[in-house]
């Protein structure tokens, strides 16, 4: 048996964009006529191999080429250049339910989709009870699909795909529209499939799910592979893209790169080539760990999270540190800092380096959050100050809780205790 499940060699996808219909029509009849036409490459020179049984995440910002790549792998798009080889039966969760006939019942659509996946009718019927139980939509299984809610559609479509004994399972943010409990159920089942040897190709913006589900990460940026390797390093580079002024892998001076070693597996670090000493200080790196000291951006509700900020000073004086956290709706959840905590900043000399550690109990409702760090130079009166450096918004930070099986430690949006210390 071929040990390579998926092989992608020099794949590119180009779309032709026309300024107007006249240019489109002229090019159709006279291909040499390219005036008013430009080429837009969604993918370019993408090459990688995935072995059988591997779990690989494809990550990147919107517009990076992730969905285009998956559509090529599943055969719904033809690449402009390059070659793709897929060995094994593929189940793809791209747009769940898109292949359902709205006039047919759920039962009929299960049989139809199973046949399209290459199963025989006998195989489908032998597993129908299992599919029906997994979907948990009750008597609706015999109603026309056009009467289903989006959640019911997701449940049934997912059940059909994962229970069809795939060799390769491809998932593209398909679970984001499902309810919280069904997402947990699906992720648990996906992990079980992978443990049984199914090759997993996973696309998500949830870096906690990427970290927990996959071993390898491929980072796409502007249609090209920016990184292929450890999923933790891929996640770190994904977070670093929040700083749009810098390129992934841009050169960093050896001294500044070594300086970030004071934070293990930083989720963000400065890649400024030269120290800007017109400022009084600069932030070098940011790291996050759980209560066990392990690098993480995925936390259980009410657990302890430690946020570490590594900074460098250029002139003598004190430095206050500030942290803000927002939710997905851009609402400020908390804003805390050394000044508000009543902490007195040490007096730093020029070129001193230090690490400040915030310790927070994340008593936040389950969801995704982003954070931003500030360095502040205190004013002479000690009551205010000027921001001398800040990070981009970093995240997402995921807070999770099993509401179905556990009583939450609080009700409402949040209730947070905090503390901090300087580490010199």
């Amino acid at each position: 048996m071929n040990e390579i499940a998926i092989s992608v060699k020099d794949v590119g996808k180009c779309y032709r964009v026309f300024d107007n219909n006249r240019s489109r029509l002229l090019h159709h009849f006279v291909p040499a006529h390219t005036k008013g036409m430009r080429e837009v490459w969604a993918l370019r020179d993408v090459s990688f191999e995935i072995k059988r049984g591997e779990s690989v995440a494809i990550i990147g910002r919107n517009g990076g080429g992730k969905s285009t790549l998956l559509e090529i792998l599943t055969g719904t798009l033809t690449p402009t250049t390059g070659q793709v080889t897929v060995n094994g039966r593929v189940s793809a969760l791209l747009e769940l339910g898109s292949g359902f006939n709205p006039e047919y019942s759920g039962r009929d659509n299960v049989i139809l989709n199973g046949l399209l996946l290459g199963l025989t009718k006998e195989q489908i019927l032998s597993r129908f009870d299992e599919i029906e139980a997994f979907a948990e939509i009750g008597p609706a299984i015999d109603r026309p699909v056009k009467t289903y809610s989006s959640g019911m559609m997701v449940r049934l479509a997912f059940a059909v795909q994962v229970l069809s004994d795939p060799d390769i399972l491809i998932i593209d943010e398909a679970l984001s529209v499902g309810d919280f409990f069904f997402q947990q159920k699906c992720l648990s089942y996906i992990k079980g499939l992978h443990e049984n040897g199914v090759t997993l190709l996973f696309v998500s913006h949830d870096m906690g799910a990427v970290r927990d589900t996959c071993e390898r990460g491929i980072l796409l940026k502007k249609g090209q592979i920016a990184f292929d390797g450890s999923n933790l390093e891929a996640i770190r580079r994904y977070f670093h893209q929040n700083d749009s002024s810098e390129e992934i892998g841009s050169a960093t001076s050896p001294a500044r790169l070594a300086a970030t070693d004071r934070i293990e597996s930083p989720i963000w670090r400065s890649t400024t080539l030269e120290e800007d000493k017109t400022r009084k200080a600069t932030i070098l790196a940011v790291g996050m760990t759980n209560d066990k000291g392990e690098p993480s951006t995925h936390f259980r509700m009410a657990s302890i999270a430690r946020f570490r900020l590594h900074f460098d000073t250029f002139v003598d004086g004190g430095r206050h540190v500030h942290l803000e956290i927002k939710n997905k709706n851009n609402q400020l959840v908390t804003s805390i800092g050394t000044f508000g905590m009543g902490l007195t900043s040490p007096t730093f000399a020029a070129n001193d380096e230090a690490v400040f550690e915030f310790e927070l109990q994340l008593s936040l409702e389950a969801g995704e959050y982003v954070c931003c760090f500030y360095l502040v130079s205190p004013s002479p009166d000690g009551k205010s100050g000027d921001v001398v450096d800040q990070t981009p918004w970093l995240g997402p930070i995921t807070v999770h809780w099993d509401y179905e099986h556990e009583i939450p430690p609080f009700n409402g949006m949040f209730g947070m205790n905090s503390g901090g210390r300087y580490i010199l």
Side-chain angles (χ1 to χ4, degrees):
M1 180 181 291
N2 194 329
E3 290 302 312
I4 302 300
I6 299 173
S7 174
V8 177
K9 295 181 180 179
D10 301 321
V11 164
K13 181 62 180 178
C14 180
Y15 294 96
R16 291 171 175 170
V17 180
F18 296 89
D19 292 341
N20 49 56
N21 289 333
R22 181 176 181 276
S23 299
R24 184 189 300 275
L25 184 64
L26 287 172
H27 178 74
H28 178 77
F29 288 104
V30 186
H33 182 86
T34 58
K35 185 178 180 180
M37 182 196 82
R38 64 184 185 278
E39 294 183 339
V40 177
W41 287 85
L43 290 174
R44 199 158 203 169
D45 301 326
V46 173
S47 298
F48 60 86
E49 288 185 339
I50 297 176
K51 296 180 180 178
R52 289 191 181 278
E54 266 197 292
S55 56
V56 180
I58 306 290
I59 60 177
R61 299 299 177 194
N62 291 333
K66 305 183 299 299
S67 296
T68 301
L69 176 59
L70 294 196
E71 289 184 54
I72 289 174
L73 293 178
T74 55
T76 57
L77 272 182
T78 302
T80 306
T81 62
Q83 181 179 359
V84 171
T85 304
V86 178
N87 299 307
R89 176 186 290 159
V90 176
S91 281
L93 287 77
L94 304 181
E95 297 179 26
L96 287 179
S98 59
F100 284 176
N101 187 318
E103 301 297 331
Y104 290 0
S105 69
R107 184 181 300 274
D108 292 336
N109 272 293
V110 167
I111 295 173
L112 176 61
N113 274 257
L115 292 171
L116 292 174
L117 288 170
L119 302 175
T120 65
K121 188 172 182 179
E122 290 71 24
Q123 288 174 317
I124 301 166
L125 294 176
S126 68
R127 302 203 66 178
F128 189 86
D129 290 344
E130 190 178 355
I131 293 172
E132 184 178 9
F134 192 96
E136 296 178 344
I137 61 173
I141 192 75
D142 290 310
R143 295 207 311 260
V145 164
K146 66 182 179 182
T147 66
Y148 286 12
S149 67
S150 59
M152 293 168 65
M153 187 86 75
V154 166
R155 286 172 175 269
L156 186 60
F158 183 89
V160 173
Q161 294 288 340
V162 300
L163 296 176
S164 63
D165 296 324
D167 300 310
I168 302 168
L169 182 60
I170 299 176
I171 306 171
D172 181 14
E173 291 288 6
L175 304 181
S176 59
V177 293
D179 65 69
F180 181 79
F181 307 120
F182 190 68
Q183 287 180 30
Q184 288 185 321
K185 180 177 180 178
C186 292
L187 287 172
S188 177
Y189 195 88
I190 289 168
K191 290 178 183 178
L193 287 175
H194 175 57
E195 290 170 359
N196 291 327
V198 172
T199 304
L200 177 62
L201 193 59
F202 188 66
V203 170
S204 178
H205 290 288
D206 182 349
M207 293 301 107
V210 168
R211 182 202 62 199
D212 295 339
T213 307
C214 302
E215 302 150 351
R216 173 181 163 196
I218 297 176
L219 177 64
L220 288 181
K221 185 174 183 181
K222 297 180 180 178
Q224 295 182 303
I225 293 180
F227 177 79
D228 182 357
S230 160
N231 68 332
L232 292 179
E233 177 62 15
I235 290 169
R236 188 196 68 75
R237 295 185 181 223
Y238 171 89
F239 284 137
H240 182 72
Q241 289 185 101
N242 281 316
D243 186 357
S244 59
S245 64
E246 301 294 342
E247 293 294 322
I248 290 292
S250 60
T252 305
S253 64
R256 291 175 66 77
L257 187 58
T260 63
D261 290 343
R262 295 188 65 175
I263 293 181
E264 182 183 356
S265 301
I267 65 164
W268 178 89
R269 65 185 178 194
S270 170
T271 55
T272 306
L273 295 179
E274 296 181 1
E275 298 172 349
D276 181 3
K277 295 192 177 182
T278 60
R279 295 183 295 187
K280 296 180 179 180
T282 189
I283 300 171
L284 298 176
V286 171
M288 298 182 194
T289 61
N290 57 25
D291 55 358
K292 298 178 182 177
E294 303 165 334
S296 180
T297 58
H298 209 254
F299 302 92
R300 180 176 165 84
M301 180 196 293
S303 66
I304 298 297
R306 294 183 177 89
F307 299 77
R308 289 187 134 209
L309 184 81
H310 184 190
F311 61 93
D312 191 2
T313 62
F314 301 140
V315 297
D316 299 348
R319 299 291 176 265
H320 281 304
V321 183
H322 197 80
L323 164 65
E324 291 185 350
I325 297 178
K326 290 183 178 181
N327 62 17
K328 290 179 71 172
N329 297 322
N330 205 35
Q331 297 169 319
L332 186 65
V333 171
T334 190
S335 177
I336 59 174
T338 53
F339 184 81
M341 293 176 186
L343 297 179
T344 301
S345 167
T347 300
F348 297 99
N351 297 318
D352 276 352
E353 290 184 25
V355 172
F356 185 84
E357 181 178 85
F358 286 99
E359 184 175 290
L360 305 180
Q361 183 180 23
L362 291 179
S363 295
L364 301 169
E365 64 178 341
E368 291 184 331
Y369 300 84
V370 292
C371 63
C372 183
F373 297 84
Y374 303 84
L375 270 182
V376 179
S377 180
S379 62
D381 61 12
K383 295 182 179 180
S384 61
D386 298 319
V387 174
V388 295
D389 198 15
Q390 71 182 76
T391 68
W393 286 97
L394 307 173
I397 302 165
T398 302
V399 176
H400 63 90
W401 185 262
D402 187 352
Y403 287 100
E404 186 175 19
H405 300 104
E406 299 179 278
I407 299 174
F410 69 94
N411 293 311
M413 291 181 65
F414 57 87
M416 184 181 295
N417 298 318
S418 61
R421 59 176 177 153
Y422 285 97
I423 303 173
L424 304 178

